[in-house]
Amino acid sequence: MASTPNGLARIETHGAKTKKHENGICHDDSSAPVRAQTIDELHSLQRKRSAPTTPIKDGASSPFAAALSEEERQRQQLQSISASLASLTRETGPKVVRGDPARKGEAAAKGAPSPHPQPVHHHHPHVTPTIAVSDSSLKFTHVLYNLSPAELYEQAIKYEKGSFITSTGALATLSGAKTGRSPRDKRIVKDEASAQELWWGKGSPNIEMDEHTFLTNRERAVDYLNSLDKVFVNDQFLNWDTENRIKVRIISARAYHSLFMHNMCIRPTEEELEEFGTPDFTIYNAGQFPCNRYTHYMTSSTSVDINLSRREMVILGTQYAGEMKKGLFGVMHYLMPRRGILSLHSGCNMGKQGDVALFFGLSGTGKTTLSTDHNRLLIGDDEHCWSDTGVSNIEGGCYAKCIDLSQEKEPDIWNAIKFGTVLENVVFDEHTREVDYTDKSVTENTRAAYPIEYIPNAKIPCVGPHPKNVILLACDAFGVLPPVSKLNLPQTMYHFISGYTALVAGTEDGIKEPQATFSACFGAAFIMLHPTKYAAMLAEKMQKYGATGWLVNTGWSGGRYGVGKRIRLPYTRKIIDAIHSGELLTANYKKTEVFGLEIPTEIDGVPSEILDPINTWTDKGAYKETLLKLAGLFKKNFEVFANYKIGGDSSLTDKILAAGPNF
């Protein structure tokens, strides 16, 4: 063995094997050094490019992909995003480049060329002053485009205070000062077209603003977004009916908002993104930045503005993500009826025989509980379209309430809260990160947003045939509505327009009494057109495709709240099962007084005495008095709709009015 200059034996690492090597006692487990010169380059080797998620049929490539190189496709994509972010007072859009500005060194390590995007030139009809140079025009805006949930987790954890990973893997985040929607701060541009088409005035949720004020707020939002080093851009779809889907672009400043919309909208494949092109509707979410209180029509620092002509939505002064979801739902309430498609605020499921049911109901009526049935496939939990080809879910995800959530009561929602899910405003243990769903310290409106495929029995794609049953749910705390009634078409329209339920409100002296709540079409806050237009479309489709209407009371029996008892959930489930099976179509019926509802005399598994509410009241006089009180509330609520003509004459309006309570 050779010696080193200091007399020590030289260690042989190569050459002939020693005896130990021959016996297999020593192993050389060294490997070739990594192909990196710097730590940034080493990190860049850790990630590889994503492959398309949509297989190419028959081995043929997409015609769009074949015509464009990857570099050209990305250039066009950036041009489109720059156009979306363009100010109306400057001739060019911002200089945009893909990627996180914090990872510039990694791009250089890979040998990528420095990006030099060409500014996109636009000509705006609304331009007054033209600013040649601004600070934003001298910088690049980095675009984080359609990031994956894992990438958005990294962004949120690193840059957004209040973001944490819970014990089940969900992303817990905070929505800031606003923990719910701000309906009084929502505005819609009233122009020549919308003045004629939309529902304005008494009872309408639509509050007007003018075009100039919208453009002022748009400029404020765009300037804020362009001042940031990076923005998140989501290009996604609404409506699982591919013939009638809408392309939406969401530009936001928070990873929380990007992940929320990733979950709630329909997620495009790589192939679909290549052909995405110009969006049909764009959201500018600058919610971290307030609106200018001195701007006309502004009543607070929050403003949620929709311009149907420009197909744009601007959010200022609120970080609550639900504004984006419900804002787009309102847009669908405008766009879809123009195509002869009915937009609906409902749950929807389908039986094994292909029988579809729609569930309408306000908060507390059991819509989510009753539409979630392990024996049936879930098409969607909240927003749907009914076209000439059937029903389709508008969304790609679910937005579930989390207050008092338990695994026993809502196992599907409980199990859906895992990696990829956004948890809004929940409270958790600082060490274990286990969520306490009973804690209302931040808000009672805690929520979870997750992709619909997280529900085991979700039907993918979320489409189905024409509904057989339309179920209107009411939690009647007055205790006078029957557990189930079969409705004719005018009655269905009347109760659909009314959108009734009753809440229990505490009075100052501690006595609790029912409080009637009405929400037109079971979603008055989101509709754009007059409620009777949606009701007429519903009746037309029900008649054309043979659907039956039902009114189901999930509230009280035997007396009002505080006197009677809540109708047992197993009984309500039996009623719903009887509707699905068709059992109630052949049942015997009798008519109730005042409301004139057809009620079955017998249902398998349900005590017959509770089917007619008068039987469960010991004080018959109190029953009649309460019945007339509720009927009066219905009539008073319907006054705002009574003078609205449907079609060329008032005959249909008269039929609907006659279908209400008579006394």
Side-chain angles (χ1 to χ4, degrees):
M1 181 179 290
S3 298
T4 62
N6 60 11
L8 297 175
R10 187 184 300 277
I11 298 174
E12 299 286 349
T13 58
H14 301 286
K17 291 183 178 179
T18 63
K19 187 174 180 180
K20 288 184 178 180
H21 282 97
E22 291 171 354
N23 294 336
I25 297 173
C26 292
H27 301 278
D28 183 5
D29 59 358
S30 64
S31 59
V34 296
R35 299 187 304 277
Q37 301 300 315
T38 66
I39 192 66
D40 283 340
E41 189 177 348
L42 176 60
H43 288 168
S44 74
L45 295 173
Q46 189 179 22
R47 300 183 304 277
K48 64 179 182 179
R49 291 182 63 83
S50 299
T53 56
T54 303
I56 305 298
K57 295 180 181 178
D58 303 323
S61 60
S62 164
F64 189 89
L68 294 176
S69 65
E70 176 67 14
E71 183 180 353
E72 175 64 16
R73 186 180 69 79
Q74 288 202 15
R75 188 187 71 80
Q76 290 189 5
Q77 196 175 69
L78 289 174
Q79 279 187 324
S80 175
I81 294 169
S82 178
S84 293
L85 282 167
S87 162
L88 299 178
T89 58
R90 286 181 279 279
E91 291 184 347
T92 62
K95 298 173 182 177
V96 294
V97 60
R98 287 186 69 159
D100 187 347
R103 289 179 174 169
K104 293 176 186 175
E106 296 176 7
K110 282 187 171 181
S114 298
H116 295 289
Q118 296 297 316
V120 184
H121 294 267
H122 305 282
H123 300 282
H124 301 293
H126 308 284
V127 169
T128 41
T130 299
I131 303 172
V133 179
S134 68
D135 287 344
S136 62
S137 70
L138 298 175
K139 62 179 278 293
F140 284 102
T141 299
H142 288 76
V143 173
L144 302 183
Y145 183 72
N146 275 45
L147 296 191
S148 67
E151 292 171 306
L152 290 168
Y153 266 55
E154 293 167 6
Q155 290 288 327
I157 296 298
K158 190 172 183 179
Y159 300 111
E160 296 180 13
K161 191 174 182 180
S163 298
F164 298 89
I165 302 175
T166 69
S167 60
T168 61
L171 179 69
T173 186
L174 294 171
S175 65
K178 297 293 179 77
T179 57
R181 290 182 299 103
S182 303
R184 293 181 181 178
D185 296 311
K186 184 181 174 184
R187 303 284 185 272
I188 298 175
V189 173
K190 189 174 185 180
D191 54 24
E192 190 175 340
S194 62
Q196 299 300 318
E197 295 177 305
L198 269 56
W199 178 29
W200 304 100
K202 185 180 179 181
S204 168
N206 302 319
I207 306 173
E208 69 176 271
M209 73 186 309
D210 59 33
E211 175 89 358
H212 181 268
T213 303
F214 175 85
L215 295 177
T216 300
N217 283 352
R218 182 192 187 277
E219 192 79 352
R220 191 173 177 90
V222 166
D223 283 346
Y224 170 74
L225 293 167
N226 286 337
S227 73
L228 304 175
D229 285 336
K230 63 186 177 186
V231 294
F232 298 88
V233 177
N234 293 41
D235 280 350
Q236 295 183 252
F237 298 116
L238 295 178
N239 197 355
W240 284 84
D241 175 3
T242 55
E243 294 298 315
N244 292 290
R245 70 183 180 186
I246 303 297
K247 298 183 292 182
V248 293
R249 172 168 292 165
I250 304 101
I251 304 174
S252 58
R254 291 192 63 182
Y256 148 50
H257 291 150
S258 186
L259 181 57
F260 177 91
M261 294 306 280
H262 169 89
N263 290 347
M264 294 311 303
C265 295
I266 299 167
R267 294 157 289 282
T269 64
E270 288 289 331
E271 191 178 50
E272 288 171 329
L273 273 182
E274 289 177 1
E275 301 177 357
F276 193 85
T278 304
D280 299 314
F281 199 89
T282 302
I283 293 179
Y284 299 95
N285 189 340
Q288 291 158 288
F289 199 64
C291 68
N292 187 338
R293 290 288 300 273
Y294 285 101
T295 305
H296 191 38
Y297 295 102
M298 299 301 102
T299 54
S300 75
S301 60
T302 298
S303 190
V304 180
D305 310 325
I306 294 175
N307 189 324
L308 295 170
S309 298
R310 291 184 59 87
R311 300 203 171 188
E312 292 178 337
M313 177 179 178
V314 171
I315 299 175
L316 291 164
T318 174
Q319 298 178 62
Y320 181 66
E323 293 286 10
M324 295 183 287
K325 165 188 159 67
K326 288 305 185 184
L328 287 176
F329 188 34
V331 171
M332 293 295 279
H333 269 311
Y334 171 74
L335 295 177
M336 292 297 103
R338 289 162 65 102
R339 302 184 183 186
I341 298 170
L342 177 60
S343 48
L344 300 164
H345 187 213
S346 69
C348 183
N349 65 24
M350 186 177 81
K352 295 174 183 176
Q353 305 302 317
D355 57 299
V356 169
L358 293 172
F359 292 82
F360 295 88
L362 301 179
S363 180
T365 59
K367 181 182 72 170
T368 300
T369 301
L370 295 173
S371 61
T372 303
D373 186 333
H374 290 164
N375 295 316
R376 297 171 66 83
L377 296 174
L378 179 69
I379 292 176
D381 74 328
D382 195 42
E383 302 175 8
H384 294 88
C385 286
W386 188 352
S387 70
D388 289 338
T389 58
V391 292
S392 57
N393 190 349
I394 289 174
E395 302 180 296
C398 303
Y399 193 35
K401 290 182 178 179
C402 290
I403 195 66
D404 296 326
L405 179 69
S406 68
Q407 190 171 13
E408 294 74 28
K409 291 182 180 178
E410 301 286 356
D412 286 343
I413 297 174
W414 179 276
N415 293 328
I417 299 176
K418 56 185 179 181
F419 181 82
T421 296
V422 176
L423 276 175
E424 283 181 331
N425 301 316
V426 298
V427 177
F428 50 84
D429 185 279
E430 64 178 357
H431 175 59
T432 65
R433 299 291 196 265
E434 291 183 4
V435 178
D436 181 358
Y437 292 108
T438 65
D439 197 315
K440 306 172 185 177
S441 299
V442 179
T443 178
E444 190 169 331
N445 188 33
T446 52
R447 295 271 183 165
Y450 48 86
I452 194 167
E453 56 265 31
Y454 281 18
I455 299 297
N457 63 326
K459 184 183 182 302
I460 308 294
C462 303
V463 295
H466 296 291
K468 286 190 174 181
N469 294 293
V470 174
I471 301 170
L472 312 182
L473 301 170
C475 177
D476 177 30
F478 290 93
V480 294
L481 290 182
V484 60
S485 314
K486 186 170 72 170
L487 305 175
N488 58 34
L489 281 178
Q491 285 178 322
T492 302
M493 295 173 75
Y494 182 89
H495 287 280
F496 177 71
I497 293 170
S498 297
Y500 163 73
T501 194
L503 306 176
V504 176
T507 58
E508 289 184 6
D509 60 0
I511 299 173
K512 295 182 177 180
E513 293 184 353
Q515 187 176 46
T517 299
F518 297 93
S519 182
C521 307
F522 293 93
F526 321 119
I527 60 177
M528 291 279 188
L529 312 179
H530 195 277
T532 54
K533 293 189 177 181
Y534 300 104
M537 289 184 72
L538 177 63
E540 180 186 358
K541 291 188 181 296
M542 288 178 65
Q543 189 170 37
K544 185 175 181 179
Y545 301 110
T548 305
W550 308 89
L551 180 64
V552 174
N553 175 23
T554 62
W556 271 255
S557 177
R560 64 170 179 81
Y561 176 85
V563 178
K565 293 182 179 180
R566 186 87 186 252
I567 297 171
R568 292 184 59 201
L569 181 59
Y571 294 159
T572 303
R573 287 198 182 278
K574 287 287 186 182
I575 289 169
I576 298 297
D577 288 343
I579 291 173
H580 290 323
S581 68
E583 175 191 335
L584 287 189
L585 290 176
T586 57
N588 294 318
Y589 286 86
K590 67 178 183 179
K591 184 175 287 190
T592 66
E593 58 180 349
V594 181
F595 277 88
L597 299 171
E598 296 281 342
I599 58 174
T601 57
E602 188 178 2
I603 300 175
D604 187 35
V606 180
S608 297
E609 61 270 17
I610 74 166
L611 296 176
D612 189 344
I614 194 172
N615 295 334
T616 62
W617 283 64
T618 53
D619 187 339
K620 308 302 182 185
Y623 166 79
K624 186 65 178 289
E625 181 182 341
T626 307
L627 180 65
L628 292 174
K629 179 181 179 180
L630 181 60
L633 293 173
F634 265 84
K635 276 190 171 293
K636 182 176 178 58
N637 171 72
F638 217 83
E639 286 174 359
V640 70
F641 312 117
N643 297 323
Y644 194 90
K645 290 184 179 181
I646 305 173
D649 54 47
S650 61
S651 59
L652 184 54
T653 306
D654 293 339
K655 288 181 181 178
I656 296 173
L657 288 171
N662 291 288
F663 56 98

